[in-house]
Amino acid sequence: MTTQPDSSLSLATIRAHLKTRTIGATLSVQNEVDSTNHLLADLARADTAHGTVVVAESQTAGRGRLGRSWVSPRGLNLYASILLARVQASSAITWVPLLAAIATVRTCKALTGLSLQIKWPNDVLVYRDGEGRKLAGILVEAINGGRAGAKAVVAGIGINVNMPPEAFPEELRSSATSLLIETGHPIERAPLLAALLGEVECLYDTLCEQGPGAIANAYRSLCGTLGRQVRVELVGSGQVEGTAEAIAPDGALRLRTPEGKILEIRAGDVVHLR
Ligand code: BTN
């Protein structure tokens, strides 16, 4: 495995690859932040424009889903947050976390050819030897206050790009991976980020202009959870097992329990059983 790092992220290198109209028109590249989501939420409350992007070389308090933290060492990975604040129907907002996962899968697949799937709602997994390992995670947070009010969200995307195995904490080494580990070579982060922003722009414009239909179809085709036996660890209220049957119109996971009851899950951690 060649592990020599790529060059550092800079405005100039990112701009050289960027082909978007609105997303990334305002772009902030930080050396170190607590969390790119946190910084961008502050900027949004001070009225920064739709499409503003914050990217950082490292995060000291990277945030994950369900109150977890996100391992964010310097110079190796992508930590990016995007403000999505076009006027949209409130029925579309619940699709943003799923849309960000589609964008991440499309981008990483196009650059590396890896076989990737989404674990509901938005974990991006690489499948190798029948095992799914987490490559990327997404945290979407609503902005309260600011011009766009509750319709604005920050979509935070973390992709493990050039992390060698030893850079992961011991407890994550069997369940997490990076593009470096999977491809055997380092990946330039600036073109990866530019392509990711392009995918997000295209999918978000589709969501705002046509509603969730097209996004839902794309999501279903990439979601490896559908059809599987799963266990869902629910937020603060135990766990349920069943078959992941469908994605509901708002992006929730429809689960059929062994008793034949249909549950709609809106927050939780899914474990693929078989
Ligand atoms: C998860 O738990 O899977 C979600 C991880 C999201 C991490 C990204 S990194 C960029 C952005 N800033 C954060 O603090 N979190 C998100």
Side-chain angles (χ1 to χ4, degrees):
M1 191 188 293
T2 324
T3 55
Q4 129 214 6
D6 72 334
S7 41
S8 59
L9 284 169
S10 72
L11 267 181
T13 49
I14 299 166
R15 287 230 180 283
H17 292 94
L18 203 56
K19 297 195 182 81
T20 52
R21 285 176 300 106
T22 52
I23 295 197
T26 305
L27 176 60
S28 164
V29 181
Q30 301 285 321
N31 183 37
E32 183 171 284
V33 291
D34 56 356
S35 152
T36 54
N37 269 27
H38 184 191
L39 175 56
L40 184 53
D42 282 348
L43 295 175
R45 281 187 281 270
D47 270 354
T48 194
H50 160 73
T52 298
V53 172
V54 173
V55 57
E57 284 287 6
S58 71
Q59 299 185 115
T60 54
R63 306 208 287 236
R65 284 181 63 238
L66 309 173
R68 298 192 186 116
S69 57
W70 187 254
V71 176
S72 309
R74 172 176 308 281
L76 295 174
N77 297 326
L78 214 52
Y79 317 115
S81 297
I82 308 160
L83 179 65
L84 298 174
R86 272 183 68 178
V87 177
Q88 51 181 296
S90 30
S91 61
I93 290 182
T94 54
W95 282 93
V96 173
L98 292 78
L99 167 165
I102 302 171
T104 305
V105 166
R106 286 185 176 172
T107 305
C108 293
K109 226 179 205 172
L111 261 83
T112 63
L114 288 170
S115 156
L116 303 172
Q117 288 187 353
I118 300 167
K119 178 164 76 75
W120 184 92
N122 52 16
D123 282 354
V124 174
L125 306 184
V126 178
Y127 267 86
R128 176 161 44 91
D129 310 324
E131 287 286 318
R133 294 177 176 83
K134 183 157 166 174
L135 176 74
I138 289 144
L139 177 66
V140 174
E141 298 180 289
I143 304 296
N144 298 311
R147 202 182 324 162
K151 289 193 170 170
V153 294
V154 167
I157 304 178
I159 306 179
N160 299 328
V161 182
N162 292 321
M163 284 264 269
E166 62 276 11
F168 285 95
E170 185 89 49
E171 66 277 13
L172 293 182
R173 280 185 201 159
S174 60
S175 61
T177 192
S178 68
L179 293 175
L180 172 75
I181 294 170
E182 299 301 323
T183 63
H185 57 81
I187 303 283
E188 284 286 329
R189 290 171 299 157
L192 179 72
L193 174 64
L196 178 67
L197 299 181
E199 289 288 354
V200 170
E201 180 167 278
C202 178
L203 288 161
Y204 186 68
D205 284 351
T206 304
L207 179 68
C208 293
E209 283 150 25
Q210 299 168 28
I215 305 300
N217 287 338
Y219 183 83
R220 287 187 189 100
S221 72
L222 295 174
C223 180
T225 302
L226 290 173
R228 282 189 193 256
Q229 282 299 111
V230 297
R231 181 173 68 245
V232 187
E233 286 152 14
L234 301 164
V235 184
S237 55
Q239 54 183 45
V240 281
E241 279 193 23
T243 309
E245 278 210 339
I247 303 297
D250 66 350
L253 181 66
R254 280 206 179 125
L255 192 75
R256 181 181 290 274
T257 68
E259 301 77 39
K261 209 167 137 192
I262 301 288
L263 303 176
E264 286 197 353
I265 313 284
R266 294 199 162 70
D269 214 17
V270 168
V271 179
H272 289 169
L273 298 176
R274 46 181 190 273

